[in-house]
Amino acid sequence: MRDTKGFKAYRAVVLTVLGLFVLVPLYVMVTSSLKPLSDVQGAFTWWPSHITLDPFVDMWKTVPLARYFVNSTIVSVVATVCSVAIAILAAFAVSRFRFRGRSVFTTTVLSTQMFPGVLFLLPLFLIFVNINNSIGVQLVGTRLGLIITYLTFSLPFSIWMLAGYFDSIPRELDEAALVDGCGPMGALARVVLPAARPGVIAVAIYSFMTAWGEVLFASVMTTESNRTLSVGLRQYSTQTNVYWNQIMAAALVVSIPVVIGFLLAQRHFVAGVTAGAVK
Amino acid sequence: MRLRSFVAAAAVTALGLSLAACGGSDSGDSSGGGSGGDQTLTYWASNQGTSLDNDKEVLTPVLQKFTADTGIKVNLEVIGWNDLQTRIQTATTSGQGPDVLNIGNTWAASLQATGAFLPFDNDAMTAIGGKDKFVPTALATGGKEGEDPTSVPLYGLAYGLYYNKAMFAAAGLQPPKTWEEMVTAAQKLTDPAKKTWGMALAAGSYTENVHFAFINGAQNGADWFDKDGKPTFTSDGNVQGVLRYLDLMQKDKVANPSNAQYDNGTKSVNDFATKKVAMVINQNNADSSIVANGMKAGEYGVVPFPAPQGSPNQTASHVAGINLSVFKNTKHKDAALKFVKYMTDATTQTTLGKPFSSLPVLKDAKPVFTTDAAEAATFQDVYNTKSKPLPLVPAEDQFESTVGKAMNGLFAKIATGGKVSADDVKAALQTAQDQVAAGS
Amino acid sequence: MAVVTDEAPAATATKPSRRGLDRRPGLSRKLPYLLLAPAVVLELLIHIVPMLVGIWMSFVKLTKFFIANWSAAPWAGFNNYRVAVDFHNAVGEGLLKSFGVTVAFSLITLAISWILGMAAAVALQPPFKGRSAVRTLFLVPYALPAYAGILTWNFMLQRDTGAVNHILVENLGLTSDRPFWLIGGNALASLITVAVWKLWPFAFLTLMAGLQSIPRDVYEAAAVDGAGSIRQWRNITLPALRPVNLVLVLVLFLWTFSDFNTPYVLFGNAQPPAGDLITFHIYNASFLTWNFGSGAAMSVLLLIFLMIVTGAYLIVTGRRSRRA
């Protein structure tokens, strides 16, 4: 329809400019990770003086990257699973029931999205300390503390997104399930969830990315034993050197799982993100 | 069907939580054994070696010997400088700290003010071997004057002016004894066209910058705080001292403007080690970096960081280094003191002096960090007789961040083509001073 | 991650639990509350209660003298606020400058991200060969963990060894003097560039999804009426995207205004005044000087500002809290 000459020219310009904007940093990241240390310390070159895989080998030794990887994986996966499960329940309640306090809940939860992290960083830390002192659950410096924190970060957005998704599923389907002898939970499990599958996937991706990339709380709440990748990568600049090639190699490796996961499921993400808005 | 994935999710969650709990159990819970032989201390060490791993390798046998001698186990965690201050803060806030820890000695008075650290009163001092064993200026960094210190010196460090012997010989230069000689030599060795510079400065590092603000101020006979602990940043001596240091880049043009981006001392030391610059002013632990980056011992010499000719004060360094503190709420006070005694005894000091390139904090000890006798003598002389502690006031940390960052800003202005006058320096220091006043 | 759990079959023990839930009488009235309970508990624990504690902190003198025993910190009244908004003193002036930088950063980043996102979404609207590959490529910066992308930019923006100056000076010869990007006045431009790089794909993604809901025949009808591409965009695309845009602009604003990662990872300990975003400023005010009361007061002011802006935005756009 709009395959006019003008539009084609416009498209070519836009794709070239944006393509370069996106690609150049990615290119630098990949080529730098294949450079010997002397290359990245000197003036920039577009191509390594010789290609080496050493940064990918050395990066595990310079910094205990494997441990940070395990920490980030456990924290992000568990936070995602919990967050999605909790968001599904809450969104189901919001979408399918009329009850007192419903609008208070939705407004409050959404407005927490607005809280600047620095406002509740130290208070949350103090609360965790008090929980530890009173009931003995160690939350500071453990993965558990990070999991609980991160899962709430994506919760407001997840609830909102899923509730929008659930709203778009006809209620007649629930009723059919009820007639079949299911309870409300059965209707959720048998009817609503399967229909909302793309939304659930989108929410899961969002939660995972939030946890995997979080920096502020990780900078205060982690110790050596539960340090995540987001703060661990800083340790490549040591007392003796800044290992840029290893930083790039490590950045590449920690990015790959998320990027692939996101790109595979991007279709669902598109549908999920806009579920609340496009109707 | 869906419920299955819920169950799976729950299983994964439970698994994750139990893993998380495992993760928690090794995170330095100091409430280990009660009595006698199976006490465990938690010890936070700062990063002194070439990497966190390197520190661990160096310290482990030393700690094992302590365990063999006393039966007290030590649970070690090495913490990088990027994280150390935050970790100490959270430990102070939560009361969940280690038993013993390293601190940058300049933080001593600030940390003392929190009341979270054990004062070394007479008994405690006796338990670690008496205060007379320490170099007096080093011990003075332990806390506010007139109060029991809350930290004792562990590793001594001092600034020195490193110079490249070959470059100096080629230009027919002698190692500088005064500021003016240093600038002249640096100008002679600077050739921007060939990308060689007289000096490298860590001009984007607020912690390095503040040290030079302090030292240059001290050479002018100025103080940064008066007797009542009130800031006196804008005194003439301080303004001129700061400007003198800035002028290395601005007026004398002996430092590459790119140095304004050097946000830690490592980068300037690297330039020196790779022979891009002829001089660098750094603490003596630069030795390990210099060697690690390819320069051999003997290729460089060290002289005290010089003061201007006729200067009333020959201060060449602040009393730099690492101190050792004990958390007040430790459940193992006696064991902790034994550990402090062990870490500061002559044998341990000698063992650790070399790998960590540190100066001994004990009166009669000889430096072992270098085989170059002249270098060792220079640094020890600076440390013992030409150094002055940074202000021993609770607001010291604010002094570091506000003045240091003010200097970052001034260097940035110079590097990007701006002009910085004495009035600009004064205005920047006034802002820093107001911030400190508002914060206390 | 739902995909992963799907693949892990848990064969047994599903049916009894379901039947148990179904058959309990009187549950249906309590059910919504039970469903909400986990979310409510966590929101209280991680967001609401800490926020209240944060507000309390803003009224006490929580300095290093009291941090070890913070329950004994003396009451400061509105003193922390007074210092923060006294623009004639150094602390207030610093906060005001940081606020100004943040407003500029936020609006410019928002505008550029939206424009780039829109440009790309429109360009990709009609199908062509390779469209999905291009779309995938464009999404990579958003999918990349924030710190990985920002670290790469930090490397590229170095003055002597960075790719940006190499392109500008050696490859294009635009300037002979190598500019600084991470200190001085250019720092804001760098910050915006990096933030846009990470964020514009989100705008692109959202707008693209919105475009899919516009039926093709609307354009065809317009084309028959003689409307050109630009008029089609103005008369069809833009109005149809209104609901998407309303949400998108708000989300982008809230994200950019309280962006912490970009300045923190890009500048480290050496943040230049031109890149002093407000959350980073507050973080430093709290942690570098140990004055958590003052930091909390600044945070509360920031929260109030965001609430006012968001509220006004929702009222003006007439959407209020219809959501969910």
Side-chain angles (χ1 to χ4, degrees), chain A residues 129 132 143 189 224 234 239, chain B residues 2 47 77 83 94 96 266:
Chain A
V129 167
N132 182 30
R143 295 185 194 126
E224 188 53 28
R234 288 199 307 174
Q239 291 284 77
Chain B
R2 268 302 144 175
N47 175 210
E77 185 184 338
D83 301 314
S94 63
Q96 295 180 332
T266 309

Side-chain angles (χ1 to χ4, degrees), chain A residues 41 61-62 67-68 74 77-78 81-82 85 88-89 122 125-126 129 132-133 138 140-144 147 188-190 193-194 197 200 219-220 222-225 227 231 234-235 237-243, chain B residues 2-3 6 9-10 12-13 16-17 19-24 26-27 29 47-53 56 77-78 81-83 86-87 89-91 93-96 264 266-267 270 276 285 288-289 292-293:
Chain A
Q41 281 173 335
K61 282 180 281 178
T62 314
R67 176 152 26 106
Y68 302 158
I74 291 175
V77 168
V78 178
V81 171
C82 297
I88 287 173
L89 298 181
L122 194 76
F125 179 79
L126 293 177
V129 167
N132 182 30
N133 292 345
Q138 178 91 27
V140 173
T142 63
R143 295 185 194 126
L144 180 61
I147 289 169
L188 171 65
R190 283 228 196 141
L193 273 184
R197 197 187 148 103
V200 173
S219 77
V220 170
T222 62
T223 66
E224 188 53 28
S225 59
R227 177 148 306 139
V231 281
R234 288 199 307 174
Q235 294 179 355
S237 61
T238 68
Q239 291 284 77
T240 42
N241 236 324
V242 185
Y243 298 97
Chain B
R2 268 302 144 175
L3 278 177
F6 265 107
V12 172
T13 312
L17 292 184
L19 285 170
C22 297
D26 62 14
S27 72
D29 183 356
N47 175 210
Q48 302 301 125
T50 50
S51 69
L52 300 186
D53 248 14
K56 219 172 269 175
E77 185 184 338
V78 183
W81 285 104
N82 280 337
D83 301 314
T86 318
R87 291 290 298 282
Q89 257 166 348
T90 51
T93 311
S94 63
Q96 295 180 332
N264 60 48
T266 309
K267 293 177 180 166
N270 274 354
K276 286 180 201 148
N285 55 358
S288 44
S289 306
N293 282 293

Side-chain angles (χ1 to χ4, degrees), chain A residues 164-207:
Chain A
Y165 229 99
F166 291 174
D167 280 347
S168 68
I169 297 161
R171 291 165 158 268
E172 293 75 42
L173 292 177
D174 311 12
E175 276 151 27
L178 289 179
V179 170
D180 282 354
C182 291
M185 295 310 286
L188 171 65
R190 283 228 196 141
V191 177
V192 178
L193 273 184
R197 197 187 148 103
V200 173
I201 293 174
V203 162
I205 299 168
Y206 176 76
S207 305

Side-chain angles (χ1 to χ4, degrees), chain B residues 272-288:
Chain B
F272 179 75
T274 52
K275 299 173 188 172
K276 286 180 201 148
V277 301
M279 286 182 268
V280 68
I281 313 156
N282 208 83
Q283 296 176 16
N284 48 298
N285 55 358
D287 271 40
S288 44

